[in-house]
Amino acid sequence: MKQARTVISVDAAAAGKAISPDLFGVFFEDLNHAADGGLYAELIQNRSFSYSGADRAGWHALTAWEPVCRGGGEAHLTVGEDRAQAPDSRPHVELRVSRLGGGAGLRNGGFDGIPVTARERYVIRVLALRPAGPPAALTVRLESTSGTAYGEAVLVPVASDEWTWYTATVEASRTDPDARLTVLAHTTGVLRLALVSLFPERTFLNRPNGLRADLAQAIADLEPKFVRFPGGCLAHGLGLDNMYRWKDTLGPVEERGQQPNLCWGYHQSMGLGYFEYFQFCEDIGAKPLPVVAAGVCCQNTPGGQHAIDEKDMPAYVRDVLDLVEYANGPVTSTWGAIRAAAGHPEPFGLQYLGVGNEDQITPEFRERFALIHTALRKHCPEISVIGTTGPSPTGTEWERGWEFARDLGVDIVDEHAYKSPRWFLENTHRFDTLDRSGPKVYAGEYAARGNSMRCALAEAAYMMAMERAGDVVQLSSYAPLLARQGGTQWVPDLIYFDNTTVHRTLNYHVQRMHSVNFGDTSLPTRLIGGPSGPGEPVIGREGISLGTCATQAEFAGILVADRSPEGWQHRTGDWQVAGGVLRQSGDGDALTVLDAVAPAGDCVLTLRARRTGGAEGFVIGFGLTPSGDHYRWNLGGWKNRSLTLQRCDDGFVHDLADPVPTVIENDRWYDLRIELRGDRIRCLLDGKLVHDVTDERHAPERFAVSSVRHSRSGDLIVKTVNTTPTPVAATLRLAGAGQLARVTATTLAADPDSGEPFAPAPAAPTTEVLPASNPVEYLFPPHSFTVVRAAPRR
Ligand code: AHR
């Protein structure tokens, strides 16, 4: 059958709806080695001998360093125990050279090697103290792993009781991604080293203490309207002592308050501190969006959320106000003067401030947030405060977060969504009905949990949904931004890198296509026609599945809508059927799918289940669609701690409701009952209602459209996402636009399953010039995101 032509009709002359000018930004968090070993251009790992077992088990003051003795040289190297002898007791190593030979000292392997490039220059800085004796000769050299020199300089620390900086610039003679920096003393006696630093001379915009140029450029190329930093979880930290304190990150690098990155299991040198963050934002034309803790630490801390003692809250609130003064105050103010002394007399123009991150909305949180909020309202009326609504875009914390923010009159709330592609495509109308008189939305962290084209397209469509609701969605940022190969705690990410390579993912291309094609006005748009053919059913009736996770179990008395499942065929796992009992005989981790159970209409499943061994419990699937999406009731998940109702879409599992603490016991029959009636799901254990959830499943959007006007240029921009395997031939009517001077189409298209972490993206956007006619004719490729940009003739 011939498919009717699709028409996209845009009212280009309409007044339209204003879109937030700051809608598309980025979120930088120091996880995945995004800062040290990442964006921060320092090439020496553990440059100030500050690593310890608190950062990571097995780490110590000499991690990433090794002692070196050349040509008979001999030195005694000590750390830690001599700290108190230093004038200001900073961590250091002491080199006690007893025999000269070819020199004795130590060398650093950087972050998985030090990358050097022929004819590039490198700045070496050493903070040293020579307590006594004649001036010491100290060679600093770039070299290969086997000791071949690529360039060197001599520094001469003189006797002093002050720590002193010695600096040299060295040009590399060779390119080597795996070089070393060696520091060799050639004078007998004692020399203390507190910090050894190596930077490429060329950092981003050649800033001192600057950023890695290629990574910073990849972020700059996104043209973000804002940068959120420094977290995420990092902002509130694991424990009160681990909270990120912005004041600790200012001033000379050797004096900054370093601390373990307990959230992500490594060390924070704080070399990339608040001054550098603000400066980077300014350099790339983005507004800064710092996040401070709301007076509570992360609830994932052992023992749960802890709150700053009430008596210490005035000082904490003062710290927050000081941050605003640091960013915005005149040079005559205390903190404005500190900013000016760092080289930036002009204010940084802080407008947004995040308070809290995914916090549990406890009474302690509420009290502390309110104190900070009230103080900001009173003293810093120029600041838009961003509150928090828990880790998920639904559920108890989300509801409490919203309610609290509404009651308090918070300007904006931060919602986080790490969900399946299907979830994003089902939620493209999420913001349409939001109360416009309440807080605005910051979609501060979202990702479709993969780097495939399927995920990137879902994100593209969600961004279009935010754009269409750009009057209430003020800000948005994908998360996480950066991930270092071999040093990653969270996947997927937007940009992957190692020491020499930067991979921009399909998701990155989507972000960029949106941000460089932003508009200030959303235009009324109608889609007539569109891809035909049946979509995936919203809830399937294909069967049920019974399974376990690291557990052995038996199931009996299985009835679906009062019928026994016919045949009891199982597709996977190691199962046996005997005497009406389905018994799992393997090691666990099996899922069996019972076919031929397709009751029309509502589905009521009853069964009995008994755990015979193992670590967790039962996993009961229902509502299966032909592609395998389904609901599951997970009894005994999270190491047998809870009952959870979940959805599994596109292979990703996410919770539909808060887990209910329960332990599944061995050798006891449980009665399970699951009712699926329309959107409502009820789960009963031993006759007791455990979950009662309404999951409003919408049909996922298959062909999404959004149109905007960029008033300054007058350009009309139409964005489409085609998630189907069929090309869509469309006529694009720009009613009221008159004749067009120029039309381009930029398209990103790829196989939906292509694209993966740590690899180059399988496709990049391509731009073609189209005939400048109105209407515009275009064939939207399968699995594609397209931006058509039309410049009306003036
Ligand atoms: O983006 C990674 C983490 O996800 C963030 O630190 C936290 O806010 C969220 O849980």
Side-chain angles (χ1 to χ4, degrees), residues 429-449:
H429 294 283
R430 176 180 176 84
F431 307 110
D432 296 357
T433 49
L434 255 186
D435 173 10
R436 265 49 184 175
S437 64
K440 293 196 187 297
V441 175
Y442 171 26
E445 296 181 27
Y446 67 91
R449 298 180 66 176

Side-chain angles (χ1 to χ4, degrees), residues 27 29 31-32 228 230-236 263-264 298 300 357-358 390-391 414 416 418 444-446 478-481 490 492-493:
F27 163 45
E29 174 165 16
L31 91 153
N32 302 331
R228 173 182 178 224
C233 293
L234 187 91
H236 55 186
C263 293
W264 308 114
C298 184
N300 298 330
N357 175 70
E358 296 189 351
D414 181 10
H416 295 177
Y418 295 99
E445 296 181 27
Y446 67 91
Y478 179 99
L481 180 62
W490 187 292
D493 305 278

